[in-house]
Amino acid sequence: MPHSLSIVILAAGKGSRMKSPKAKVLHEICGREMLYYSIKAARALSDDVIVVVAHQKEAVLTAMERYFEGLTFVIQDTENFPGTGGAMMGVKPKHDNVLVLNGDMPLITEHSVSEFMKCDSDIVMSVIELLDSSGYGRVVIEEGHVLRIVEEKDASDAEKAILTVNAGVYAFKKHVLETYLPKLSNANAQSEYYLTDVIALARNDRLEISPLIVEEIEFKGVNSKFDLSNAEMIMMDRIRREWMECGVIMQLPQTIYIEEGVRFEGECFIENGARLCGDTLISHSHIKAHSVIEQSIIRNSDIGPMAHIRPLSVIDGTHIGNFVEVKKSTLTKVKAGHLSYLGDATIDEGTNIGAGTITCNYDGRYKYQTIIGKNVFIGSDSQLVAPLTISDNVMIAAGTTVTSGNIESDVLVLSRTPLKKIPGFFTKFFGKGA
Ligand code: UD1
Ligand code: MG
């Protein structure tokens, strides 16, 4: 199948109902732009995936080229040929079977797309039965035959009452597109060239049009921010389920947020409220309640509750406790149990980071590295002023501000203001009998 099918994804529209300066197809669902998901499904089935762009085309191209190689982009002439029909006019598919998808359908799957190929009609079009059909093109069917699709803005009251709608995915024989696209007119409420009008033209010539009844959940068009949030909930359910089926344990899964780029290995345990983002790998680890992990690698570790692991951290064999923030740091067999900031740091095995330790990595202009060797004991409430290298087997006393850039092995480092005791001060200050 991959070599007999071209897939065109329409992604040129403005998406004005999103009320956003961002192109509709670039709005994200589970950490990836919604267009990514339709391209992913298309790529699994075709070696000829064509994406039609126009509005914010550079941004759409740049975003998709981060994930996919070898896509064909076609730029729609939206000025002269607006609308979904206009979008198809510059497309030159390689194969005789052409599947058209809307770029605002992130929930579509490879399986449902492949269903369209089972029928060999001139046109196979997707149809959903809804209780509320508003927003969709209505499908006019008489005596079992599809006659035409009427867009909501062009529909009469009787047509608006039709509950059978166009889901927006079609399989065309290439010759059908070649014959009818040039015949489309823009004499309609939106002065656009509608791809949906190909159906009526083909019907007049007695071509074979097969409606394929599809499941609403996979064909939901995202046209508003409310639709976006609904689509994200559905996608999130799928992601969680897939990982649970691979052996990940999730406590109260409905409260766990996992993005598309996250990967798990082995038996991981994810507690409620965790937020796992970006290209993250979690391997044989326990992520405790309400921790946030962004674009990092976590192996054989336990994190949280309420810890924040920021991008580009690599944490192995390590215990990270509550209210610890780690950024762009590599921690190997380390303990950082409470209330710390570890940024731009490399910390080696056997090292203990006391509560309240801060790597002071920023001087207001530049960021600097902190390198800590093996078996270092950092006492509570220490400030490590970077750039700083601490060798193996060093002890930093509690409350020390380490400012010297190099600490050699086997020393105690201590900076303390001498303790003063002033007898009778309490009574004097608060008055007798206080
Ligand atoms: C479209 C269908 C409607 C169907 C619905 C299903 C048409 C005329 N209408 O309506 O029958 O029920 O999808 O979700 O096709 N696009 C372009 N260039 C354009 C305009 C749109 O590439 O000039 C792209 C958009 O980026 C989007 C897709 O086509 O990904 C659909 O456009 P949209 O405006 O959402 O169409 P709907 O009004 O939803
Ligand atoms: Mg739409």
Side-chain angles (χ1 to χ4, degrees):
M1 186 177 307
H3 298 290
S4 59
L5 173 66
S6 292
I7 300 185
V8 184
I9 302 175
L10 306 184
K14 267 206 187 106
S16 30
R17 286 168 282 177
M18 291 298 277
K19 299 196 172 62
S20 169
K22 197 194 274 192
K24 174 162 77 171
V25 294
L26 292 184
H27 281 268
E28 288 185 8
I29 283 178
C30 303
R32 299 247 165 123
E33 299 81 357
M34 64 170 123
L35 180 58
Y36 158 88
Y37 296 96
S38 22
I39 298 181
K40 182 180 157 197
R43 261 300 171 86
L45 294 166
S46 170
D47 66 341
D48 185 32
V49 176
I50 301 161
V51 184
V52 183
V53 291
H55 184 64
Q56 293 190 13
K57 55 182 183 298
E58 289 83 13
V60 176
L61 245 82
T62 312
M64 292 305 110
E65 281 174 345
R66 273 193 281 133
Y67 309 114
F68 305 103
E69 276 177 17
L71 294 172
T72 306
F73 289 95
V74 170
I75 298 167
Q76 180 184 351
D77 176 0
T78 44
E79 197 130 309
N80 297 309
F81 298 101
T84 48
M88 289 299 294
M89 287 176 185
V91 171
K92 306 256 172 300
K94 266 205 312 213
H95 302 296
D96 284 337
N97 293 302
V98 185
L99 196 109
V100 182
L101 296 178
N102 284 350
D104 64 354
M105 284 183 176
L107 298 171
I108 193 101
T109 63
E110 180 191 334
H111 171 75
S112 45
V113 171
S114 64
E115 289 298 300
F116 285 80
M117 293 297 101
K118 290 187 178 158
C119 179
D120 204 36
S121 300
D122 296 307
I123 301 175
V124 184
M125 58 162 294
S126 52
V127 164
I128 336 177
E129 299 283 349
L130 296 177
L131 292 175
D132 171 12
S133 57
S134 54
Y136 285 91
R138 314 298 204 273
V139 185
V140 182
I141 301 177
E142 273 176 28
E143 293 166 9
H145 295 291
V146 175
L147 298 190
R148 61 182 186 279
I149 298 170
V150 188
E151 292 307 301
E152 179 159 271
K153 288 186 178 145
D154 304 293
S156 64
D157 285 345
E159 286 166 336
K160 277 187 188 145
I162 297 174
L163 298 176
T164 308
V165 303
N166 167 29
V169 179
Y170 327 78
F172 295 101
K173 293 287 173 208
K174 186 158 76 178
H175 68 83
V176 174
L177 292 171
E178 286 166 350
T179 309
Y180 296 108
L181 285 176
K183 295 185 181 166
L184 291 180
S185 121
N186 64 349
N188 53 52
Q190 302 185 79
S191 302
E192 288 187 358
Y193 294 87
Y194 296 158
L195 179 59
T196 44
D197 286 348
V198 167
I199 307 290
L201 295 172
R203 171 69 197 158
N204 284 342
D205 289 345
R206 298 273 173 261
L207 262 60
E208 209 185 332
I209 303 169
S210 303
L212 179 71
I213 295 181
V214 295
E215 289 202 36
E216 188 195 354
I217 202 156
E218 293 206 7
F219 288 77
K220 268 181 189 293
V222 172
N223 294 306
S224 66
K225 286 179 175 156
F226 180 68
D227 292 344
L228 188 75
S229 70
N230 274 328
E232 184 163 60
M233 280 193 274
I234 295 165
M235 185 67 78
M236 193 62 70
D237 261 341
R238 285 187 195 166
I239 291 176
R240 286 186 295 239
R241 188 176 176 159
E242 196 178 300
W243 287 116
M244 284 190 265
E245 280 166 5
C246 291
V248 176
I249 301 169
M250 295 188 200
Q251 214 163 38
L252 298 181
Q254 291 298 324
T255 67
I256 298 173
Y257 174 88
I258 305 175
E259 290 189 345
E260 163 79 7
V262 176
R263 296 283 169 271
F264 295 90
E265 283 174 0
E267 190 174 73
C268 296
F269 183 13
I270 315 297
E271 293 184 5
N272 53 295
R275 180 178 174 91
L276 313 177
C277 308
D279 293 330
T280 282
L281 170 69
I282 298 180
S283 172
H284 300 275
S285 292
H286 182 171
I287 311 299
K288 296 185 187 164
H290 303 287
S291 295
V292 176
I293 300 186
E294 302 167 296
Q295 208 189 329
S296 288
I297 299 175
I298 315 289
R299 291 183 198 277
N300 310 309
S301 297
D302 67 284
I303 310 285
M306 290 165 287
H308 187 185
I309 311 299
R310 291 172 49 205
L312 306 179
S313 297
V314 179
I315 294 176
D316 194 353
T318 288
H319 161 67
I320 300 280
N322 43 200
F323 306 112
V324 173
E325 175 183 349
V326 180
K327 186 220 71 171
K328 212 177 180 184
S329 292
T330 300
L331 275 60
T332 312
K333 297 189 180 156
V334 170
K335 286 190 179 135
H338 340 255
L339 296 158
S340 281
Y341 172 61
L342 305 170
D344 301 307
T346 304
I347 310 178
D348 214 338
E349 34 182 293
T351 289
N352 186 87
I353 307 288
T357 299
I358 308 284
T359 52
C360 310
N361 61 330
Y362 185 46
D363 66 2
R365 273 187 303 178
Y366 302 108
K367 301 265 166 81
Y368 300 96
Q369 297 287 318
T370 300
I371 297 168
I372 305 176
K374 295 186 173 62
N375 308 317
V376 173
F377 183 89
I378 313 260
S380 299
D381 194 26
S382 297
Q383 297 91 52
L384 310 176
V385 181
L388 175 65
T389 302
I390 302 177
S391 304
D392 297 347
N393 308 322
V394 165
M395 198 162 187
I396 311 282
T400 299
T401 303
V402 186
T403 47
S404 155
N406 256 306
I407 306 293
E408 59 277 31
S409 190
D410 203 14
V411 296
L412 168 70
V413 182
L414 176 99
S415 76
R416 279 206 188 136
T417 319
L419 190 75
K420 278 190 207 159
K421 289 187 195 167
I422 305 172
F425 182 87
F426 185 93
T427 313
K428 199 171 143 195
F429 187 82
F430 287 106
K432 276 209 164 116

